[in-house]
Amino acid sequence: MSDKPTPLSGFPELLPEHRAVERRVIASLSRSFELHGFANIETRAVEPIDRLSKGGEIDKEIYMLRRLQADDAAGDSGLGLHFDLTVPFARYVLENSGKLEFPFRRYQIQPAWRGERPQEGRYRQFTQADIDVVGRDELPFHFDVEVVRVMVEALDALPIPNLSVQVNNRKLIQGFYRGLGIPDVTAAIRAIDKLDKQPAEAVAALLVKDAGATEEQAQRCLELATIRVSDTSFVERVRALGVDDELLDEGLRELAAVVDGCATAVSDHVTVEANLRIARGLDYYTGTVLEIFMAGYERLKSVGGGGRYDKLASDGRTTYPGVGVSFGVSRTLIPLFADGVLEPGPKVPSTVLVALVDEESRGTSQEVATALRRRGIATEVAASAQKFGKQIRYAERRGIPYVWFPGVDPDRNEVKDIRSGDQVVADPNTWTPEETDK
Ligand code: AMP
């Protein structure tokens, strides 16, 4: 019988050279988030099923846990793997509310699990990077602007294709529908959310059938949904549709503040647009909503999303409003690796390979390696005392830029940059690699 494992689709694992890039991306995101004072937390992988499913209202496929050794009745642990980082964060806030400082700003970069049908950009285990700010009882609006800006800055530092952050506001859409006199506002939001999958006429029919809109009202909802601009000119365009509503006014003010507030952070690489068709489906957002798209990868749908929840968590006495953005690390990076858009990193972290003259002198090579490592230079010793040509190829295949040749006497050490072929006399206690090779 063969022991060769069967590949498991939907549970991607990276080669070392891709993992090196993913770790750099995670380090870069972490640095950006910390630069803005976001503290890191890590939550456990499991949550009670009833917390995950919120009494059955959830559309995500949850993986459940059971103990193999337990008998049938006791086997069901009542636990499931979290499908995002928001649900565990909300629970963590409630559990630690007495010890946390509010407003609490946290970032979290961890895997999540969903029992979905795997495809490009859609996995059963995937890494997310989330930032949220949560307040006790209240959370001023300026945090909506802040979290979007922080994510824009963090994404701008990544070596990935152009991104478009498309923002809308639930108050704006709800107020517009209400002011227009649509009987079922929630059904209208649900219908408009289908615009990326269905033609406008089909959505108009849904607005009439499900939301109770007239043909004329349905057309105005569609007009609202076509507005997409990168400045605050949407305010005038919405006003021109002639709907009057207080909530609409508030939504317009908030959305304009987010777009304005990001104006100095955007670039060609990361843009922010007001897109009045973004609704974020059935999730319980109450104000700002956003989705992030990657140029050339629109087929992946959003690579990130988020918004404001006025009730991120509640323990009956206290309510914790929050606002946050989630970025799909796996959804973004894995397709870029597959397409060769993102350069792989080095296969090994070593900067230097110390060659081996013969097995007897392994100690000498190890001493050189120790001296280099003491100075922070990642170093490995050759696996075997093959011909130097073979040892150089060993380094080449792994992407190690320097090969060190230990001399018989300590003054005769030489180091070769195998890319240029330059070879110089060097002392392991003073030699330094090129800045870019560290
Ligand atoms: P959602 O919670 O469904 O709105 O998804 C938020 C973000 O999580 C998306 O924009 C993706 O970046 C990411 N995401 C959701 N589902 C998956 C999945 N199955 N595989 C990879 N990334 C996902």
Side-chain angles (χ1 to χ4, degrees):
M1 197 185 79
S2 159
D3 244 359
K4 194 168 163 53
T6 317
L8 202 50
S9 113
F11 292 89
E13 290 173 321
L14 302 178
L15 289 170
E17 57 270 36
H18 291 149
R19 172 63 176 156
V21 176
E22 185 186 55
R23 288 191 67 204
R24 276 212 297 269
V25 162
I26 290 171
S28 171
L29 290 170
S30 305
R31 214 165 31 246
S32 299
F33 299 153
E34 288 182 4
L35 209 48
H36 289 268
F38 284 69
N40 184 241
I41 64 163
E42 183 166 284
T43 56
R44 64 199 185 202
V46 295
E47 295 295 332
I49 295 285
D50 53 359
R51 186 164 285 282
L52 289 170
S53 68
K54 290 186 213 138
E57 288 169 39
I58 203 77
D59 56 350
K60 312 284 195 295
E61 291 264 1
I62 298 167
Y63 275 107
M64 286 176 52
L65 259 70
R66 68 185 298 275
R67 269 173 51 227
L68 191 59
Q69 269 67 22
D71 60 38
D72 271 0
D76 179 1
S77 62
L79 299 174
L81 295 173
H82 58 236
F83 56 80
D84 71 4
L85 302 182
T86 309
V87 174
F89 175 54
R91 190 262 315 149
Y92 178 96
V93 166
L94 290 177
E95 221 167 293
N96 295 290
S97 60
K99 299 175 208 133
L100 298 173
E101 295 297 332
F102 293 95
F104 174 49
R105 312 135 83 82
R106 83 88 175 78
Y107 76 95
Q108 202 170 333
I109 305 178
Q110 278 182 244
W113 295 266
R114 292 185 190 181
E116 303 188 277
R117 195 172 61 77
Q119 50 185 292
E120 187 194 26
R122 190 175 296 279
Y123 313 105
R124 293 183 158 180
Q125 176 175 323
F126 53 95
T127 299
Q128 291 291 109
D130 280 34
I131 48 170
D132 285 88
V133 183
V134 61
R136 184 154 40 204
D137 293 321
E138 55 153 25
L139 183 71
F141 168 75
H142 65 82
F143 285 110
D144 290 43
V145 183
E146 181 179 333
V147 291
V148 183
R149 261 195 83 106
V150 173
M151 193 52 97
V152 166
E153 284 182 27
L155 295 178
D156 192 29
L158 303 184
I160 58 177
N162 290 351
L163 297 167
S164 152
V165 178
Q166 305 195 0
V167 196
N168 196 1
N169 192 293
R170 276 281 178 97
K171 292 176 192 168
L172 189 162
I173 340 179
Q174 274 163 3
F176 186 88
Y177 297 163
R178 191 174 76 179
L180 200 55
I182 303 232
D184 189 340
V185 169
T186 312
I189 293 179
R190 211 174 293 147
I192 287 291
D193 203 37
K194 298 205 162 71
L195 264 178
D196 57 347
K197 295 181 210 92
Q198 295 186 22
E201 310 83 74
V203 172
L206 279 180
L207 285 165
V208 173
K209 186 168 137 288
D210 296 348
T214 63
E215 295 285 346
E216 206 271 326
Q217 288 171 334
Q219 282 315 313
R220 288 230 255 152
C221 292
L222 288 176
E223 275 179 56
L224 183 79
T226 58
I227 299 176
R228 181 175 162 182
V229 291
S230 56
D231 55 26
T232 55
S233 61
F234 66 88
V235 178
E236 283 314 306
R237 290 185 53 189
V238 175
R239 295 259 180 254
L241 296 174
V243 175
D244 223 13
D245 185 276
E246 265 179 35
L247 197 59
L248 168 63
D249 292 344
E250 198 178 324
L252 285 170
R253 264 199 309 278
E254 289 192 359
L255 182 55
V258 172
V259 173
D260 255 348
C262 291
T264 51
V266 299
S267 60
D268 287 345
H269 185 214
V270 185
T271 55
V272 172
E273 287 174 284
N275 183 346
L276 273 50
R277 78 158 55 166
I278 300 291
R280 297 284 288 145
L282 299 176
D283 288 334
Y284 300 109
Y285 293 105
T286 48
T288 302
V289 278
L290 66 97
E291 298 215 8
I292 306 170
F293 297 91
M294 183 159 65
Y297 285 85
E298 288 76 11
R299 62 180 187 268
L300 299 178
K301 302 273 184 295
S302 67
V303 296
R308 152 81 69 154
Y309 296 78
D310 277 329
K311 265 204 214 147
L312 175 77
S314 173
D315 58 12
R317 277 173 304 134
T318 313
T319 297
Y320 299 87
V323 58
V325 188
S326 173
F327 172 65
V329 175
S330 306
R331 172 166 292 185
T332 305
L333 297 188
I334 295 172
L336 293 178
F337 290 140
D339 292 353
V341 171
L342 205 50
E343 280 284 305
K347 288 186 163 72
V348 295
S350 312
T351 303
V352 177
L353 174 79
V354 183
L356 202 57
V357 176
D358 48 32
E359 254 332 299
E360 289 68 52
S361 64
R362 184 171 283 281
T364 312
S365 292
Q366 265 158 356
E367 273 169 34
V368 171
T370 304
L372 291 169
R373 288 184 199 124
R374 209 174 274 136
R375 297 174 40 248
I377 301 165
T379 305
E380 60 181 281
V381 175
S384 61
Q386 293 171 304
K387 291 206 174 74
F388 279 167
K390 282 204 165 164
Q391 296 193 42
I392 290 171
R393 274 192 295 285
Y394 175 100
E396 228 162 21
R397 275 201 308 278
R398 285 164 180 73
I400 304 174
Y402 299 94
V403 176
W404 193 283
F405 300 103
V408 196
D409 74 78
D411 294 339
R412 290 276 313 285
N413 277 277
E414 290 188 7
V415 64
K416 184 187 200 73
D417 179 332
I418 63 173
R419 296 154 303 180
S420 61
D422 291 349
Q423 187 163 331
V424 292
V425 172
D427 176 347
N429 296 306
T430 53
W431 175 84
T432 22
E434 296 281 335
E435 193 57 38
T436 48
D437 292 332
K438 280 180 190 162

PDB file of all heavy atoms in Angstrom, residues 129-148:
ATOM      1  N   ALA A 129      -6.750  39.138   7.611  1.00  0.00           N
ATOM      2  CA  ALA A 129      -6.118  40.174   8.433  1.00  0.00           C
ATOM      3  C   ALA A 129      -7.188  41.221   8.739  1.00  0.00           C
ATOM      4  O   ALA A 129      -7.679  41.877   7.831  1.00  0.00           O
ATOM      5  CB  ALA A 129      -4.950  40.807   7.692  1.00  0.00           C
ATOM      6  N   ASP A 130      -7.542  41.331  10.001  1.00  0.00           N
ATOM      7  CA  ASP A 130      -8.635  42.223  10.404  1.00  0.00           C
ATOM      8  C   ASP A 130      -8.152  43.352  11.312  1.00  0.00           C
ATOM      9  O   ASP A 130      -7.325  43.112  12.200  1.00  0.00           O
ATOM     10  CB  ASP A 130      -9.680  41.441  11.221  1.00  0.00           C
ATOM     11  CG  ASP A 130     -10.615  40.629  10.337  1.00  0.00           C
ATOM     12  OD1 ASP A 130     -10.167  40.135   9.298  1.00  0.00           O
ATOM     13  OD2 ASP A 130     -11.797  40.484  10.733  1.00  0.00           O
ATOM     14  N   ILE A 131      -8.707  44.539  11.092  1.00  0.00           N
ATOM     15  CA  ILE A 131      -8.567  45.601  12.093  1.00  0.00           C
ATOM     16  C   ILE A 131      -9.968  46.039  12.500  1.00  0.00           C
ATOM     17  O   ILE A 131     -10.867  46.100  11.661  1.00  0.00           O
ATOM     18  CB  ILE A 131      -7.787  46.843  11.598  1.00  0.00           C
ATOM     19  CG1 ILE A 131      -8.293  47.309  10.231  1.00  0.00           C
ATOM     20  CG2 ILE A 131      -6.311  46.609  11.588  1.00  0.00           C
ATOM     21  CD1 ILE A 131      -7.738  48.670   9.813  1.00  0.00           C
ATOM     22  N   ASP A 132     -10.140  46.298  13.772  1.00  0.00           N
ATOM     23  CA  ASP A 132     -11.403  46.845  14.258  1.00  0.00           C
ATOM     24  C   ASP A 132     -11.125  47.814  15.391  1.00  0.00           C
ATOM     25  O   ASP A 132     -10.140  47.659  16.119  1.00  0.00           O
ATOM     26  CB  ASP A 132     -12.313  45.732  14.822  1.00  0.00           C
ATOM     27  CG  ASP A 132     -12.945  44.883  13.741  1.00  0.00           C
ATOM     28  OD1 ASP A 132     -12.314  43.890  13.328  1.00  0.00           O
ATOM     29  OD2 ASP A 132     -14.057  45.207  13.314  1.00  0.00           O
ATOM     30  N   VAL A 133     -12.017  48.780  15.532  1.00  0.00           N
ATOM     31  CA  VAL A 133     -12.027  49.619  16.725  1.00  0.00           C
ATOM     32  C   VAL A 133     -13.384  49.398  17.362  1.00  0.00           C
ATOM     33  O   VAL A 133     -14.409  49.423  16.673  1.00  0.00           O
ATOM     34  CB  VAL A 133     -11.859  51.120  16.404  1.00  0.00           C
ATOM     35  CG1 VAL A 133     -11.798  51.932  17.703  1.00  0.00           C
ATOM     36  CG2 VAL A 133     -10.623  51.370  15.566  1.00  0.00           C
ATOM     37  N   VAL A 134     -13.388  49.126  18.664  1.00  0.00           N
ATOM     38  CA  VAL A 134     -14.661  48.899  19.341  1.00  0.00           C
ATOM     39  C   VAL A 134     -14.764  49.828  20.549  1.00  0.00           C
ATOM     40  O   VAL A 134     -13.778  50.077  21.237  1.00  0.00           O
ATOM     41  CB  VAL A 134     -14.825  47.396  19.702  1.00  0.00           C
ATOM     42  CG1 VAL A 134     -13.737  46.914  20.635  1.00  0.00           C
ATOM     43  CG2 VAL A 134     -16.186  47.116  20.296  1.00  0.00           C
ATOM     44  N   GLY A 135     -15.947  50.378  20.744  1.00  0.00           N
ATOM     45  CA  GLY A 135     -16.166  51.295  21.860  1.00  0.00           C
ATOM     46  C   GLY A 135     -17.129  50.696  22.867  1.00  0.00           C
ATOM     47  O   GLY A 135     -17.763  49.673  22.595  1.00  0.00           O
ATOM     48  N   ARG A 136     -17.209  51.314  24.054  1.00  0.00           N
ATOM     49  CA  ARG A 136     -18.204  50.871  25.034  1.00  0.00           C
ATOM     50  C   ARG A 136     -19.356  51.869  24.976  1.00  0.00           C
ATOM     51  O   ARG A 136     -19.135  53.063  25.115  1.00  0.00           O
ATOM     52  CB  ARG A 136     -17.580  50.835  26.428  1.00  0.00           C
ATOM     53  CG  ARG A 136     -18.542  50.304  27.458  1.00  0.00           C
ATOM     54  CD  ARG A 136     -17.906  49.654  28.670  1.00  0.00           C
ATOM     55  NE  ARG A 136     -16.720  50.319  29.181  1.00  0.00           N
ATOM     56  CZ  ARG A 136     -15.792  49.687  29.886  1.00  0.00           C
ATOM     57  NH1 ARG A 136     -15.899  48.407  30.159  1.00  0.00           N
ATOM     58  NH2 ARG A 136     -14.743  50.337  30.337  1.00  0.00           N
ATOM     59  N   ASP A 137     -20.547  51.399  24.707  1.00  0.00           N
ATOM     60  CA  ASP A 137     -21.759  52.218  24.564  1.00  0.00           C
ATOM     61  C   ASP A 137     -21.757  53.126  23.340  1.00  0.00           C
ATOM     62  O   ASP A 137     -22.759  53.280  22.679  1.00  0.00           O
ATOM     63  CB  ASP A 137     -22.040  53.067  25.814  1.00  0.00           C
ATOM     64  CG  ASP A 137     -22.402  52.183  26.994  1.00  0.00           C
ATOM     65  OD1 ASP A 137     -23.124  51.185  26.772  1.00  0.00           O
ATOM     66  OD2 ASP A 137     -21.939  52.462  28.115  1.00  0.00           O
ATOM     67  N   GLU A 138     -20.606  53.762  23.063  1.00  0.00           N
ATOM     68  CA  GLU A 138     -20.598  54.598  21.857  1.00  0.00           C
ATOM     69  C   GLU A 138     -19.222  54.562  21.211  1.00  0.00           C
ATOM     70  O   GLU A 138     -18.222  54.266  21.858  1.00  0.00           O
ATOM     71  CB  GLU A 138     -20.993  56.026  22.202  1.00  0.00           C
ATOM     72  CG  GLU A 138     -20.134  56.616  23.286  1.00  0.00           C
ATOM     73  CD  GLU A 138     -20.038  58.121  23.209  1.00  0.00           C
ATOM     74  OE1 GLU A 138     -20.961  58.734  22.659  1.00  0.00           O
ATOM     75  OE2 GLU A 138     -19.027  58.663  23.666  1.00  0.00           O
ATOM     76  N   LEU A 139     -19.212  54.860  19.934  1.00  0.00           N
ATOM     77  CA  LEU A 139     -17.958  54.918  19.185  1.00  0.00           C
ATOM     78  C   LEU A 139     -18.103  56.046  18.167  1.00  0.00           C
ATOM     79  O   LEU A 139     -18.876  55.944  17.218  1.00  0.00           O
ATOM     80  CB  LEU A 139     -17.710  53.588  18.465  1.00  0.00           C
ATOM     81  CG  LEU A 139     -16.393  53.498  17.697  1.00  0.00           C
ATOM     82  CD1 LEU A 139     -15.201  53.417  18.654  1.00  0.00           C
ATOM     83  CD2 LEU A 139     -16.389  52.295  16.758  1.00  0.00           C
ATOM     84  N   PRO A 140     -17.378  57.162  18.384  1.00  0.00           N
ATOM     85  CA  PRO A 140     -17.540  58.314  17.484  1.00  0.00           C
ATOM     86  C   PRO A 140     -17.315  57.938  16.026  1.00  0.00           C
ATOM     87  O   PRO A 140     -16.535  57.032  15.716  1.00  0.00           O
ATOM     88  CB  PRO A 140     -16.472  59.292  17.971  1.00  0.00           C
ATOM     89  CG  PRO A 140     -16.162  58.875  19.357  1.00  0.00           C
ATOM     90  CD  PRO A 140     -16.404  57.402  19.441  1.00  0.00           C
ATOM     91  N   PHE A 141     -17.968  58.667  15.152  1.00  0.00           N
ATOM     92  CA  PHE A 141     -17.912  58.375  13.715  1.00  0.00           C
ATOM     93  C   PHE A 141     -16.504  58.465  13.128  1.00  0.00           C
ATOM     94  O   PHE A 141     -16.164  57.739  12.192  1.00  0.00           O
ATOM     95  CB  PHE A 141     -18.871  59.300  12.944  1.00  0.00           C
ATOM     96  CG  PHE A 141     -18.638  59.245  11.470  1.00  0.00           C
ATOM     97  CD1 PHE A 141     -19.055  58.143  10.730  1.00  0.00           C
ATOM     98  CD2 PHE A 141     -17.929  60.259  10.827  1.00  0.00           C
ATOM     99  CE1 PHE A 141     -18.783  58.053   9.368  1.00  0.00           C
ATOM    100  CE2 PHE A 141     -17.664  60.174   9.462  1.00  0.00           C
ATOM    101  CZ  PHE A 141     -18.095  59.072   8.746  1.00  0.00           C
ATOM    102  N   HIS A 142     -15.655  59.343  13.720  1.00  0.00           N
ATOM    103  CA  HIS A 142     -14.335  59.535  13.082  1.00  0.00           C
ATOM    104  C   HIS A 142     -13.542  58.238  12.999  1.00  0.00           C
ATOM    105  O   HIS A 142     -12.618  58.110  12.199  1.00  0.00           O
ATOM    106  CB  HIS A 142     -13.536  60.648  13.772  1.00  0.00           C
ATOM    107  CG  HIS A 142     -13.154  60.355  15.189  1.00  0.00           C
ATOM    108  ND1 HIS A 142     -12.066  59.582  15.506  1.00  0.00           N
ATOM    109  CD2 HIS A 142     -13.720  60.718  16.362  1.00  0.00           C
ATOM    110  CE1 HIS A 142     -11.969  59.501  16.828  1.00  0.00           C
ATOM    111  NE2 HIS A 142     -12.966  60.174  17.366  1.00  0.00           N
ATOM    112  N   PHE A 143     -13.912  57.238  13.801  1.00  0.00           N
ATOM    113  CA  PHE A 143     -13.212  55.951  13.715  1.00  0.00           C
ATOM    114  C   PHE A 143     -13.521  55.230  12.403  1.00  0.00           C
ATOM    115  O   PHE A 143     -12.716  54.423  11.932  1.00  0.00           O
ATOM    116  CB  PHE A 143     -13.550  55.051  14.912  1.00  0.00           C
ATOM    117  CG  PHE A 143     -12.862  55.489  16.172  1.00  0.00           C
ATOM    118  CD1 PHE A 143     -13.585  56.048  17.217  1.00  0.00           C
ATOM    119  CD2 PHE A 143     -11.486  55.368  16.296  1.00  0.00           C
ATOM    120  CE1 PHE A 143     -12.941  56.476  18.373  1.00  0.00           C
ATOM    121  CE2 PHE A 143     -10.833  55.789  17.455  1.00  0.00           C
ATOM    122  CZ  PHE A 143     -11.565  56.347  18.491  1.00  0.00           C
ATOM    123  N   ASP A 144     -14.688  55.525  11.815  1.00  0.00           N
ATOM    124  CA  ASP A 144     -14.995  54.943  10.495  1.00  0.00           C
ATOM    125  C   ASP A 144     -13.946  55.413   9.490  1.00  0.00           C
ATOM    126  O   ASP A 144     -13.424  54.627   8.696  1.00  0.00           O
ATOM    127  CB  ASP A 144     -16.379  55.396   9.991  1.00  0.00           C
ATOM    128  CG  ASP A 144     -17.530  54.789  10.778  1.00  0.00           C
ATOM    129  OD1 ASP A 144     -17.433  54.738  12.016  1.00  0.00           O
ATOM    130  OD2 ASP A 144     -18.522  54.367  10.143  1.00  0.00           O
ATOM    131  N   VAL A 145     -13.667  56.715   9.545  1.00  0.00           N
ATOM    132  CA  VAL A 145     -12.680  57.288   8.627  1.00  0.00           C
ATOM    133  C   VAL A 145     -11.316  56.666   8.921  1.00  0.00           C
ATOM    134  O   VAL A 145     -10.589  56.257   8.014  1.00  0.00           O
ATOM    135  CB  VAL A 145     -12.602  58.827   8.774  1.00  0.00           C
ATOM    136  CG1 VAL A 145     -11.628  59.410   7.766  1.00  0.00           C
ATOM    137  CG2 VAL A 145     -13.983  59.455   8.635  1.00  0.00           C
ATOM    138  N   GLU A 146     -10.999  56.560  10.214  1.00  0.00           N
ATOM    139  CA  GLU A 146      -9.678  56.072  10.597  1.00  0.00           C
ATOM    140  C   GLU A 146      -9.413  54.641  10.116  1.00  0.00           C
ATOM    141  O   GLU A 146      -8.370  54.369   9.524  1.00  0.00           O
ATOM    142  CB  GLU A 146      -9.500  56.160  12.111  1.00  0.00           C
ATOM    143  CG  GLU A 146      -8.121  55.670  12.514  1.00  0.00           C
ATOM    144  CD  GLU A 146      -7.847  55.749  13.999  1.00  0.00           C
ATOM    145  OE1 GLU A 146      -8.433  56.600  14.687  1.00  0.00           O
ATOM    146  OE2 GLU A 146      -7.032  54.928  14.464  1.00  0.00           O
ATOM    147  N   VAL A 147     -10.365  53.722  10.358  1.00  0.00           N
ATOM    148  CA  VAL A 147     -10.069  52.329   9.976  1.00  0.00           C
ATOM    149  C   VAL A 147      -9.894  52.195   8.465  1.00  0.00           C
ATOM    150  O   VAL A 147      -9.046  51.424   8.004  1.00  0.00           O
ATOM    151  CB  VAL A 147     -11.095  51.273  10.469  1.00  0.00           C
ATOM    152  CG1 VAL A 147     -11.033  51.095  11.965  1.00  0.00           C
ATOM    153  CG2 VAL A 147     -12.478  51.527   9.986  1.00  0.00           C
ATOM    154  N   VAL A 148     -10.662  52.935   7.699  1.00  0.00           N
ATOM    155  CA  VAL A 148     -10.511  52.847   6.239  1.00  0.00           C
ATOM    156  C   VAL A 148      -9.130  53.371   5.845  1.00  0.00           C
ATOM    157  O   VAL A 148      -8.396  52.745   5.077  1.00  0.00           O
ATOM    158  CB  VAL A 148     -11.635  53.603   5.493  1.00  0.00           C
ATOM    159  CG1 VAL A 148     -11.470  53.427   3.980  1.00  0.00           C
ATOM    160  CG2 VAL A 148     -13.008  53.119   5.918  1.00  0.00           C
TER     161      VAL A 148
END
